[in-house]
Amino acid sequence: QVQLQESGPGLVKPSQTLSLTCTVSGDSITTSGYFWSWIRQPPGKGLEWMGAISGSGDIYYSPSLKSRTFISRDRSKNQFTLQLTSVTPEDTAVYYCARGIEVVITTTNQGVWGKGTLVTVSS
């Protein structure tokens, strides 16, 4: 059974880069037909899909975050990562990684999700 676990700093200063890693077990991130996504939920707001990487390595970004978001993977560690540059307090959110069969994931009914990790942007 596939499991996903987010990890990274819980506090980031404004203007810095937020970096998170999703460690996957029970499946390979190179499996054809799946997309590995990053989604976030700011306090009191809805889910926002940020981007995804396919099993073949194709990368997709949300248009609204494309200029600040970078997704990559380490096949040897079966991990994929998120970097969000030039963060502001508005980037404070619970960040999730997920596996789905669709590029864009916007509900928890789609695919398998990690438990999420809270990242606070504050000086």
Short mmCIF file of all heavy atoms in Angstrom, two decimals, residues 6 19 30 36 38 52 55 67 70 72-73 78 83 93 99 106 108 112:
data_model
loop_
_atom_site.label_atom_id
_atom_site.label_comp_id
_atom_site.label_asym_id
_atom_site.label_seq_id
_atom_site.Cartn_x
_atom_site.Cartn_y
_atom_site.Cartn_z
N GLU A 6 5.45 13.86 4.08
CA GLU A 6 6.09 15.15 3.84
C GLU A 6 7.10 15.44 4.94
O GLU A 6 6.88 15.07 6.10
CB GLU A 6 5.05 16.27 3.82
CG GLU A 6 3.91 16.09 2.85
CD GLU A 6 2.74 15.30 3.43
OE1 GLU A 6 2.87 14.76 4.54
OE2 GLU A 6 1.69 15.23 2.76
N SER A 19 11.39 24.64 1.17
CA SER A 19 11.77 23.37 0.54
C SER A 19 11.16 22.21 1.32
O SER A 19 11.36 22.11 2.53
CB SER A 19 13.29 23.22 0.53
OG SER A 19 13.90 24.23 -0.27
N THR A 30 8.34 6.39 -10.35
CA THR A 30 8.47 6.28 -11.81
C THR A 30 7.37 5.43 -12.43
O THR A 30 7.37 5.20 -13.65
CB THR A 30 9.84 5.71 -12.19
OG1 THR A 30 9.97 4.39 -11.67
CG2 THR A 30 10.98 6.58 -11.66
N TRP A 36 2.43 12.75 -9.26
CA TRP A 36 2.81 13.01 -7.87
C TRP A 36 2.74 14.51 -7.66
O TRP A 36 3.49 15.27 -8.24
CB TRP A 36 4.21 12.45 -7.62
CG TRP A 36 4.31 11.00 -7.99
CD1 TRP A 36 4.57 10.47 -9.21
CD2 TRP A 36 4.07 9.88 -7.13
NE1 TRP A 36 4.52 9.11 -9.17
CE2 TRP A 36 4.22 8.71 -7.89
CE3 TRP A 36 3.74 9.76 -5.77
CZ2 TRP A 36 4.07 7.43 -7.37
CZ3 TRP A 36 3.59 8.49 -5.24
CH2 TRP A 36 3.75 7.35 -6.04
N TRP A 38 1.88 18.26 -5.40
CA TRP A 38 1.94 19.08 -4.18
C TRP A 38 0.68 19.94 -4.13
O TRP A 38 0.32 20.57 -5.13
CB TRP A 38 3.19 19.96 -4.17
CG TRP A 38 4.46 19.22 -3.91
CD1 TRP A 38 5.37 18.80 -4.83
CD2 TRP A 38 4.94 18.78 -2.63
NE1 TRP A 38 6.40 18.14 -4.20
CE2 TRP A 38 6.15 18.11 -2.86
CE3 TRP A 38 4.47 18.90 -1.32
CZ2 TRP A 38 6.91 17.56 -1.81
CZ3 TRP A 38 5.21 18.35 -0.30
CH2 TRP A 38 6.42 17.69 -0.54
N ALA A 52 2.76 19.13 -10.20
CA ALA A 52 2.90 17.68 -10.17
C ALA A 52 4.03 17.24 -11.10
O ALA A 52 4.41 17.97 -12.02
CB ALA A 52 1.60 17.01 -10.60
N GLY A 55 5.14 10.01 -13.66
CA GLY A 55 6.06 8.91 -13.53
C GLY A 55 7.21 8.96 -14.52
O GLY A 55 8.31 8.47 -14.24
N SER A 67 5.84 30.86 -11.55
CA SER A 67 7.08 31.64 -11.51
C SER A 67 7.89 31.40 -10.25
O SER A 67 9.08 31.75 -10.20
CB SER A 67 6.75 33.14 -11.62
OG SER A 67 5.99 33.56 -10.50
N PHE A 70 9.18 25.06 -8.05
CA PHE A 70 10.04 24.11 -8.73
C PHE A 70 9.82 22.73 -8.11
O PHE A 70 9.89 22.59 -6.89
CB PHE A 70 11.51 24.51 -8.59
CG PHE A 70 11.81 25.85 -9.20
CD1 PHE A 70 11.73 27.01 -8.44
CD2 PHE A 70 12.16 25.96 -10.54
CE1 PHE A 70 11.99 28.25 -9.00
CE2 PHE A 70 12.43 27.19 -11.10
CZ PHE A 70 12.34 28.34 -10.34
N SER A 72 10.97 18.64 -8.36
CA SER A 72 11.98 17.72 -8.87
C SER A 72 11.84 16.38 -8.17
O SER A 72 10.99 16.22 -7.29
CB SER A 72 13.38 18.29 -8.66
OG SER A 72 13.64 18.49 -7.27
N ARG A 73 12.67 15.42 -8.56
CA ARG A 73 12.58 14.11 -7.92
C ARG A 73 13.97 13.49 -7.83
O ARG A 73 14.88 13.84 -8.59
CB ARG A 73 11.64 13.19 -8.70
CG ARG A 73 12.13 12.80 -10.08
CD ARG A 73 11.13 11.87 -10.77
NE ARG A 73 11.61 11.43 -12.07
CZ ARG A 73 10.94 10.61 -12.86
NH1 ARG A 73 9.76 10.13 -12.48
NH2 ARG A 73 11.44 10.24 -14.02
N ASN A 78 13.46 7.56 -4.08
CA ASN A 78 12.00 7.50 -4.24
C ASN A 78 11.33 8.68 -3.54
O ASN A 78 10.38 8.52 -2.76
CB ASN A 78 11.44 6.18 -3.71
CG ASN A 78 10.22 5.72 -4.49
OD1 ASN A 78 10.15 5.89 -5.71
ND2 ASN A 78 9.26 5.14 -3.80
N GLN A 83 10.08 23.22 -4.13
CA GLN A 83 10.72 24.46 -3.72
C GLN A 83 9.81 25.62 -4.12
O GLN A 83 9.35 25.69 -5.26
CB GLN A 83 12.09 24.62 -4.37
CG GLN A 83 13.14 23.65 -3.82
CD GLN A 83 14.51 23.93 -4.39
OE1 GLN A 83 14.71 23.98 -5.60
NE2 GLN A 83 15.48 24.12 -3.51
N ALA A 93 0.78 27.65 5.21
CA ALA A 93 -0.24 26.65 4.85
C ALA A 93 0.20 25.27 5.33
O ALA A 93 1.36 25.07 5.71
CB ALA A 93 -0.44 26.61 3.33
N ARG A 99 -0.50 11.18 -4.50
CA ARG A 99 -0.41 10.42 -5.73
C ARG A 99 -1.79 10.28 -6.34
O ARG A 99 -2.74 9.89 -5.65
CB ARG A 99 0.15 9.02 -5.48
CG ARG A 99 0.38 8.20 -6.75
CD ARG A 99 0.55 6.72 -6.46
NE ARG A 99 -0.72 6.08 -6.14
CZ ARG A 99 -0.87 4.77 -5.97
NH1 ARG A 99 0.17 3.97 -6.05
NH2 ARG A 99 -2.06 4.26 -5.69
N THR A 106 -7.51 18.35 -6.57
CA THR A 106 -8.11 19.44 -5.81
C THR A 106 -8.99 18.97 -4.67
O THR A 106 -9.51 19.79 -3.91
CB THR A 106 -8.94 20.35 -6.74
OG1 THR A 106 -9.93 19.54 -7.39
CG2 THR A 106 -8.06 21.03 -7.77
N THR A 108 -9.58 15.70 -1.59
CA THR A 108 -8.95 14.57 -0.90
C THR A 108 -9.49 13.24 -1.40
O THR A 108 -8.95 12.19 -1.07
CB THR A 108 -9.16 14.68 0.60
OG1 THR A 108 -10.55 14.79 0.89
CG2 THR A 108 -8.44 15.90 1.16
N VAL A 112 -4.09 9.22 -3.20
CA VAL A 112 -3.57 8.93 -1.86
C VAL A 112 -2.73 10.12 -1.41
O VAL A 112 -1.86 10.58 -2.15
CB VAL A 112 -2.71 7.65 -1.88
CG1 VAL A 112 -2.16 7.37 -0.49
CG2 VAL A 112 -3.54 6.47 -2.38
#
